[in-house]
């Protein structure tokens, strides 16, 4: 069964398969020591974002700021030097008569587009503004003339192969903008151990194997919860793990996150961060990651396998309680160790 719209496109725009990394600026990195993250903090950590391997940074929590500020100009310049696009998460109602006064100052400042809060755009007012700014992108939700349609369909489906397959079919089989897959609403309010990350790691590979763009939220690549503002744990062995130099208690950064800091995970080849980095590298360089639709193979109960049409990429997922045979092909990556030609429970794998 084949699901999806449209042929492969040569010369597709930069956002076509982009991986966008949303940074809640106030919770990412604090440079001035006031306990709140800032643009300078993000700029100081931009090397990490580049190392992660994403294509664009989405700034959240700065929409009330100054689009002409020196801090933003410096950030944009450094991001461009690193090959990163920069978008703004914006809570603007695009159905108003003219959103231009809100959007244009940011576009004139050099922003590459917007991630709009869920709204409807029956009059395509945003599209009219963006028409004057080539190569910019709008990620939107609901009904609208967006470039990319932000969707939490995979997150809502949970960790069960049947509902996940149905969610993929519904998105790729529908009409409308190109999908931007997101998983940031996972119900993981507190990570206690690495075993709890089994479904998180598996679904990351499913998400990154699908045609379309991807929206990550900072901390997601560390296996941290995505349902609230998470202060980024960078390094060290106690709170706030390098997020800020401010002294005091940090109840929002539990001490048991010591194994989930960027520092700890960069040094661990089996960490969730290492899995994301490896997956993003393969996704951006391997020739199998083409094709605008998927076709499904027969699979055991509570499992699935799909192939990107026009390519050799296969993604297999096992949400059952038993190991199942791997599809034929060269193993590119798996969310958990694979041995003996079997896909373990709670595991996803890429093959070519």
């Amino acid at each position: 069964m084949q699901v999806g719209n449209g042929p492969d496109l040569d010369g597709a725009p930069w956002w076509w398969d982009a991986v966008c990394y949303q940074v809640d600026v106030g919770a990412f990195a604090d440079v001035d020591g006031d306990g709140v993250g800032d643009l300078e903090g993000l700029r100081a950590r931009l090397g990490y974002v580049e190392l992660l391997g994403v294509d664009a940074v989405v700034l959240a929590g700065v929409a009330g700021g100054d689009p002409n500020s020196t801090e933003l100009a410096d950030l944009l310049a450094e991001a461009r030097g690193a090959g990163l696009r920069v978008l703004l998460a914006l809570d603007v109602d695009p159905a108003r008569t003219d959103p231009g006064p809100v959007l244009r100052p940011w576009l004139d400042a050099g922003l590459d587009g917007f991630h709009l809060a869920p709204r409807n755009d029956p009059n395509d007012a945003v599209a009219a503004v963006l028409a004057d700014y080539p190569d910019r992108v709008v990620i939107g939700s609901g009904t609208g003339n967006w470039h990319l349609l932000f969707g939490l369909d995979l997150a809502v489906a949970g960790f069960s192969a049947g509902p996940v397959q149905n969610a993929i079919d519904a998105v790729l089989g529908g009409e409308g903008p190109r999908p931007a897959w997101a998983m940031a609403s996972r119900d993981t309010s507190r990570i206690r151990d690495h075993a709890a990350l089994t479904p998180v790691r598996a679904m990351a590979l499913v998400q990154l194997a699908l045609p379309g763009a991807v929206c990550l939220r900072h901390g997601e690549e560390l296996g941290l919860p995505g349902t609230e503002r998470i202060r980024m744990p960078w390094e060290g062995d106690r709170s706030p793990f390098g997020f800020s130099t401010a002294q005091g208690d940090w109840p929002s950064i539990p001490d048991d996150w010591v194994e989930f800091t960027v520092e700890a995970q960069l040094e661990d080849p089996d960490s969730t961060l290492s899995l994301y980095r490896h997956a993003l590298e393969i996704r951006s360089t391997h020739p199998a990651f083409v094709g605008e639709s998927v076709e499904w193979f027969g699979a055991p109960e509570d499992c699935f396998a799909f192939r990107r049409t026009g390519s050799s990429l296969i993604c297999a997922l096992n949400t059952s309680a038993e190991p199942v045979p791997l599809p034929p092909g060269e193993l590119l990556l798996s969310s958990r160790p694979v041995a003996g030609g079997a896909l373990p429970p709670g595991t996803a794998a890429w093959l070519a």
Side-chain angles (χ1 to χ4, degrees):
M1 175 183 176
Q2 179 173 314
V3 178
N5 295 314
D8 290 349
L9 297 179
D10 293 326
W14 67 265
W15 45 264
W16 194 251
D17 287 315
V19 178
C20 300
Y21 184 68
Q22 178 171 310
V23 171
D24 294 312
V25 174
F28 196 65
D30 169 31
V31 161
D32 60 16
D34 66 354
V36 179
D38 41 55
L39 289 176
E40 286 297 293
L42 170 56
R43 187 161 73 93
R45 298 289 187 174
L46 211 55
Y48 166 76
V49 180
E50 183 181 6
L51 185 70
L52 182 58
V54 301
D55 302 295
V57 179
V58 182
L59 308 179
V62 298
D66 181 2
N68 299 311
S69 70
T70 300
E71 292 80 6
L72 180 62
D74 290 344
L75 175 65
L76 290 174
E78 194 155 330
R80 290 190 188 101
L84 294 166
R85 305 276 183 159
V86 181
L87 286 73
L88 180 69
L90 197 58
D91 186 9
V92 60
D93 186 350
R96 67 180 62 178
T97 303
D98 181 13
V102 176
L103 303 182
R104 289 184 189 277
W106 295 103
L107 294 168
D108 292 338
L111 271 292
D112 293 289
F114 303 99
H115 183 175
L116 298 183
R119 293 290 191 272
N120 292 324
D121 186 17
N123 299 316
D124 293 334
V126 169
V129 175
L130 270 289
D132 296 331
Y133 297 86
D135 208 29
R136 311 298 173 90
V137 63
V138 173
I139 306 171
S141 304
T143 303
N145 190 21
W146 321 125
H147 299 90
L148 295 169
L149 182 62
F150 180 84
L152 291 167
D153 304 79
L154 295 180
V156 172
F159 191 59
S160 179
V164 173
Q165 180 173 344
N166 291 339
I168 294 170
D169 283 345
V171 173
L172 294 182
E175 299 295 331
R178 186 166 180 78
W181 306 94
M183 288 291 297
S185 67
R186 294 188 306 265
D187 184 16
T188 51
S189 58
R190 179 67 64 88
I191 297 296
R192 292 293 185 184
D193 54 54
H194 291 279
L197 293 171
T198 296
V200 173
R201 292 165 60 97
M203 288 302 297
L205 293 195
V206 173
Q207 176 188 26
L208 291 168
L210 291 166
V214 170
C215 292
L216 305 178
R217 188 172 182 180
H218 88 246
E220 190 171 349
E221 76 279 14
L222 303 179
L224 299 179
T227 56
E228 55 187 89
R229 288 168 59 91
I230 298 300
R231 288 182 170 87
M232 191 74 165
W234 292 100
E235 64 245 343
D237 58 4
R238 65 186 63 185
S239 299
F241 299 115
F243 164 73
S244 174
T245 58
Q247 302 298 313
D249 295 330
W250 291 89
S252 63
I253 310 180
D255 287 334
D256 60 5
W257 281 8
V258 63
E259 296 183 15
F260 292 90
T261 66
V262 170
E263 178 183 54
Q265 296 204 38
L266 280 175
E267 297 174 355
D268 180 3
D270 297 322
S271 70
T272 301
L273 176 56
S274 293
L275 176 70
Y276 268 91
R277 290 185 61 206
H278 197 181
L280 290 171
E281 180 182 13
I282 294 174
R283 187 180 188 271
S284 65
T285 59
H286 198 285
F289 283 77
V290 295
E292 300 307 304
S293 56
V294 302
E295 56 183 8
W296 300 97
F297 297 105
E301 187 176 359
D302 294 324
C303 304
F304 69 56
F306 66 77
R307 181 175 67 87
R308 290 273 292 263
T309 55
S311 81
S312 61
L313 176 70
I314 295 173
C315 178
L317 174 68
N318 179 8
T319 64
S320 75
E322 302 294 334
V324 298
L326 273 171
E330 174 193 1
L331 182 65
L332 301 178
L333 188 63
S334 60
S335 61
R336 295 176 63 197
V338 170
L343 188 65
T347 305
W350 292 348
L351 304 101

